[in-house]
Amino acid sequence: MMRTRPLKVALLGCGVVGSEVARIMTTHADDLAARIGAPVELAGVAVRRLSKVREGIDPALITTDATALVKRGDIDVVIEVIGGIEPARTLITTAFEHGASVVSANKALLAEDGAVLHAAAEQYGRDLYYEAAVAGAIPLVRPLRESLAGDKVNRVLGIVNGTTNFILDKMDTSGAGYSEALDEATALGYAEADPTADVEGFDAAAKAAILAGIAFHTRVKIGEVHREGITEVTAADIASARRMGCTVKLLAICERAADGRSVTARVHPAMIPLSHPLASVREAYNAVFVEAEAAGQLMFYGPGAGGSPTASAVLGDLVAVCRNKLGEATGPGESAYTRLPVSPMGEVVTRYHISLDVADKPGVLAQVATVFAEQGVSIDTVRQQGRQDGGGEASLVVVTHRAPDAALSATVEALRKLDTVRGVASIMRVEGE
């Protein structure tokens, strides 16, 4: 039997995502009620400015006093889509204190203070759901947190930022340079006016911290995630990858150490073989590859951003939280029992693709190989080609076997000191093999 008294929902933020959440709540009200077992009512919408017209939303629901809204006491669920650290953090903890569970899309806050939020939710017996914080419409948090709760996840490898994937895809398919591809992404609305969070890897790093925490049952903060963006990726890097049968992607990689005593989380551009499932992820799409002990290899794919996809994830969480409310229960909270340390990037075992400009004369390859040997780094393949324009220089491309990242970095620094090495044209890691 359906309960007639509605569950009241407060919406914090009414931008691209928030307005779409409000629209779906209104247009699909009957379906949501049938799925939940009670009607849901939008009881208030907190915004920064009252002057903006918000179609489809009763003006009487609009307020600029978000604190008063979450303190009302009759609110069952707060949906937070304003982003940032403050006032979001205080509003969420205040909502818990005054009886509301929370659905959030705030990756930056969860990556920085997820432990604090989970502790507050547990203290007050509330739910904290955040499917929309990681990969838009792609169901990922719940499968990791619930479906794979009985399994052991060893690796999560993914493309979790649509803007950077669009840029790199355009560089690969059209031969465009980084700036040209960024301009196209901006014109199409994939990149913000200030794209720093995306192109420098901050957005992906926050998502990596959340994914690593869930997958490995430990606490990982964004400051522990190694981060590199795509601003230094060149058309030459893309061309080199193509010659190797690879493509370049910005990857979020979370791994459990082979001995199980630590984890790593990193974000950086990498070459991956065209045979890998992630290589076929095009334009602004996201995909995450999960490797679990019993389940094997799983891949989650779909749109990772945008108003409608993100709103879909938010509404999915809303249904789950409302069902818990009716059943007087709460869903899964934080699982951080393993308390594994996060290893620094220098200890991570990786492969490198290194492109060098060298003097075109006998003995150079031997000098370069000696440097690798002195650092304990084994070479997989070498390709040397003289420059067509002459000038006494050649291009030398070295691909290594797997070695500690610190050793590979030391190798590059030693190469720079050789008189026969004119410059290091590019350095990129190789993943997915």
Side-chain angles (χ1 to χ4, degrees):
M1 180 181 295
M2 181 178 293
R3 192 181 82 165
T4 56
R5 184 175 69 80
L7 292 160
K8 294 189 176 183
V9 178
L11 178 61
L12 308 183
C14 198
V16 173
V17 176
S19 59
E20 186 66 8
V21 168
R23 184 192 69 78
I24 296 173
M25 285 186 65
T26 301
T27 58
H28 296 278
D30 291 342
D31 286 336
L32 289 172
R35 294 165 191 170
I36 291 169
V40 288
E41 173 190 321
L42 189 58
V45 181
V47 299
R48 291 179 181 176
R49 296 181 299 275
L50 293 174
S51 57
K52 183 178 179 180
V53 176
R54 294 170 174 86
E55 295 183 8
I57 299 177
D58 183 352
L61 297 178
I62 306 294
T63 178
T64 56
D65 193 343
T67 301
L69 178 59
V70 300
K71 282 184 173 182
R72 273 177 39 173
D74 65 336
I75 300 296
D76 294 290
V77 183
V78 169
I79 297 174
E80 183 271 308
V81 288
I82 57 178
I85 305 301
E86 287 291 356
R89 174 172 49 199
T90 299
L91 290 170
I92 289 174
T93 54
T94 302
F96 291 146
E97 184 180 354
H98 287 80
S101 289
V102 173
V103 173
S104 176
N106 196 332
K107 53 188 169 286
L109 177 57
L110 288 158
E112 181 63 34
D113 277 327
V116 172
L117 299 181
H118 277 292
E122 183 177 1
Q123 178 184 352
Y124 293 105
R126 316 298 178 205
D127 272 327
L128 174 62
Y129 276 53
Y130 43 90
E131 185 68 69
V134 174
I138 305 172
L140 186 57
V141 171
R142 197 168 301 160
L144 285 172
R145 187 154 88 156
E146 299 179 32
S147 304
L148 295 172
D151 206 340
K152 181 181 180 182
V153 175
N154 291 316
R155 195 171 195 234
V156 180
L157 171 75
I159 299 165
V160 294
N161 183 272
T163 300
T164 52
N165 199 58
F166 179 88
I167 292 170
L168 293 172
D169 182 51
K170 287 301 173 184
M171 291 176 69
D172 187 26
T173 57
S174 70
Y178 168 77
S179 297
E180 184 182 351
L182 174 59
D183 288 343
E184 185 175 353
T186 304
L188 292 172
Y190 293 130
E192 301 287 344
D194 179 1
T196 303
D198 293 322
V199 300
E200 293 292 356
F202 290 101
D203 175 84
K207 295 171 181 177
I210 295 169
L211 289 174
I214 299 170
F216 307 134
H217 304 278
T218 195
R219 288 176 179 169
V220 179
K221 298 183 72 170
I222 189 170
E224 296 174 301
V225 179
H226 174 82
R227 175 192 55 79
E228 298 173 29
I230 66 166
T231 56
E232 301 300 319
V233 177
T234 66
D237 293 328
I238 302 294
S240 292
R242 194 179 299 115
R243 283 193 292 269
M244 288 178 58
C246 295
T247 188
V248 177
K249 299 291 185 183
L250 182 73
L251 299 179
I253 305 170
C254 310
E255 294 178 303
R256 188 193 301 269
D259 62 8
R261 295 179 181 178
S262 64
V263 299
T264 61
R266 49 196 166 105
V267 168
H268 54 73
M271 296 180 179
I272 58 172
L274 293 175
S275 58
H276 194 280
L278 291 178
S280 62
V281 179
R282 302 288 307 281
E283 299 202 333
Y285 276 75
N286 284 191
V288 177
F289 202 68
V290 177
E291 299 176 12
E293 201 164 86
Q297 298 179 333
L298 308 170
M299 183 165 167
F300 301 83
Y301 170 84
S308 293
T310 305
S312 171
V314 169
L315 268 296
D317 279 350
L318 176 65
V319 169
V321 170
C322 286
R323 286 172 175 169
N324 291 343
K325 278 276 184 180
L326 292 180
E328 298 181 348
T330 56
E334 182 187 34
S335 176
Y337 72 92
T338 63
R339 299 179 182 177
L340 297 172
V342 181
S343 297
M345 187 63 193
E347 296 178 10
V348 176
V349 177
T350 63
R351 297 179 66 203
Y352 267 29
H353 172 282
I354 306 170
S355 180
L356 304 171
D357 295 327
V358 300
D360 190 7
K361 61 182 183 180
V364 173
L365 181 55
Q367 288 183 340
V368 169
T370 298
V371 169
F372 279 87
E374 289 173 346
Q375 299 297 330
V377 177
S378 177
I379 294 175
D380 183 12
T381 62
V382 178
R383 186 179 73 251
Q384 184 170 352
Q385 184 175 356
R387 295 283 179 83
Q388 292 182 353
D389 58 0
E393 287 192 2
S395 182
L396 184 66
V397 176
V398 179
V399 179
T400 73
H401 284 292
R402 292 171 64 84
D405 201 81
L408 289 161
S409 296
T411 301
V412 172
E413 290 307 307
L415 289 170
R416 295 183 194 274
K417 296 176 182 178
L418 290 178
D419 293 337
T420 51
V421 174
R422 308 291 192 239
V424 179
S426 70
I427 308 165
M428 191 168 294
R429 296 177 182 87
V430 182
E431 296 286 346
E433 295 183 328

